[in-house]
Amino acid sequence: EAGVAQSPRYKIIEKRQSVAFWCNPISGHATLYWYQQILGQGPKLLIQFQNNGVVDDSQLPKDRFSAERLKGVDSTLKIQPAKLEDSAVYLCASSVTAATYEQYFGPGTRLTVT
Amino acid sequence: GQQVMQIPQYQHVQEGEDFTTYCNSSTTLSNIQWYKQRPGGHPVFLIQLVKSGEVKKQKRLTFQFGEAKKNSSLHITATQTTDVGTYFCAGHGSSNTGKLIFGQGTTLQVKP
């Protein structure tokens, strides 16, 4: 079974530029999550999708971050414009449903904003 | 809002010694999950605890969920170098929407 795929793996941009990350969850997983993990901290949920609907985006900085999962499968997370404090690893995860199932994480995208 | 705290933040042990990390939530949890993240890697699911007072074992790892469902612990017996990494607890609140609140993790270093 293929795992969660993410791209790119690394990205370096200057502040005020825009960037987009892509995630393809495990086939059949209805729930998709985007996390931000700052060095030395635990993952922080940015947004959670159930199929193509948003379940929780309470911690998503909506003035600069956006995410979509149009067909209920793969997803993109965008930052525009980026700030220095956005430097982090962006992790995508998926689970069977939004209930209490384990989450499977992708390898992450390491973003550096200079 | 709900917070999940872990202690200690770092632990250095000699290979063969035991290791324990503790997790405390500000609110009652419907369940708690534990993940391991190797250096440079991504979190990998270890186990889920659901019942009050539940204890589960995986080889040298023992997981406990507190009676009040607000705390949990992970104990590793006779650590090995392969145990190196950061261990995160993550709690589901009572809403059961799937939103996990992660602790800040305990990073384990094992000296051979």
Side-chain angles (χ1 to χ4, degrees):
Chain A
E1 177 181 82
V4 176
Q6 288 189 249
S7 67
R9 292 294 310 278
Y10 305 91
K11 190 73 176 179
I12 301 174
I13 61 173
E14 296 181 351
K15 59 184 179 183
R16 291 186 292 272
Q17 287 186 325
S18 62
V19 64
F21 313 127
W22 174 81
C23 172
N24 192 27
I26 292 173
S27 178
H29 280 195
T31 311
L32 185 147
Y33 313 80
W34 282 102
Y35 289 90
Q36 180 192 59
Q37 186 175 26
I38 293 172
L39 187 64
Q41 299 182 17
K44 182 183 85 171
L45 180 70
L46 293 175
I47 190 166
Q48 176 183 334
F49 292 95
Q50 176 71 12
N51 297 309
N52 60 352
V54 175
V55 174
D56 190 308
D57 63 356
S58 57
Q59 297 189 101
L60 186 74
K62 298 180 185 65
D63 58 333
R64 298 184 301 107
F65 286 64
S66 65
E68 59 183 14
R69 193 186 184 198
L70 292 176
K71 296 181 179 179
V73 180
D74 58 349
S75 176
T76 56
L77 175 70
K78 296 179 182 177
I79 307 175
Q80 181 178 11
K83 293 185 175 181
L84 295 176
E85 59 260 35
D86 298 332
S87 294
V89 175
Y90 290 84
L91 294 162
C92 179
S94 70
S95 64
V96 173
T97 72
T100 56
Y101 284 88
E102 62 265 34
Q103 296 183 14
Y104 295 83
F105 285 82
T109 297
R110 183 176 298 277
L111 174 67
T112 302
V113 182
T114 62
Chain B
Q2 181 184 356
Q3 290 187 326
V4 175
M5 307 295 294
Q6 273 185 264
I7 57 169
Q9 187 174 2
Y10 299 98
Q11 186 81 57
H12 296 250
V13 301
Q14 197 73 37
E15 189 172 22
E17 291 182 337
D18 293 355
F19 159 76
T20 303
T21 174
Y22 300 91
C23 178
N24 289 285
S25 170
S26 58
T27 59
T28 302
L29 301 170
S30 61
N31 64 74
I32 195 159
Q33 297 180 354
W34 285 89
Y35 290 79
K36 177 182 179 180
Q37 187 171 25
R38 297 184 188 275
H42 56 275
V44 175
F45 175 81
L46 293 177
I47 207 160
Q48 176 172 276
L49 305 170
V50 179
K51 300 176 182 176
S52 170
E54 188 170 15
V55 178
K56 287 189 176 181
K57 292 189 176 183
Q58 288 181 348
K59 297 182 180 178
R60 295 178 294 104
L61 278 61
T62 301
F63 304 83
Q64 293 188 330
F65 200 9
E67 293 291 340
K69 301 185 75 173
K70 293 182 72 174
N71 58 78
S72 181
S73 65
L74 158 60
H75 179 82
I76 302 179
T77 303
T79 55
Q80 300 175 359
T81 55
T82 53
D83 296 326
V84 165
T86 300
Y87 293 86
F88 293 99
C89 63
H92 276 111
S94 57
S95 65
N96 227 26
T97 60
K99 179 178 181 178
L100 273 179
I101 306 296
F102 279 79
Q104 68 269 45
T106 297
T107 298
L108 173 65
Q109 293 282 2
V110 180
K111 301 175 190 176

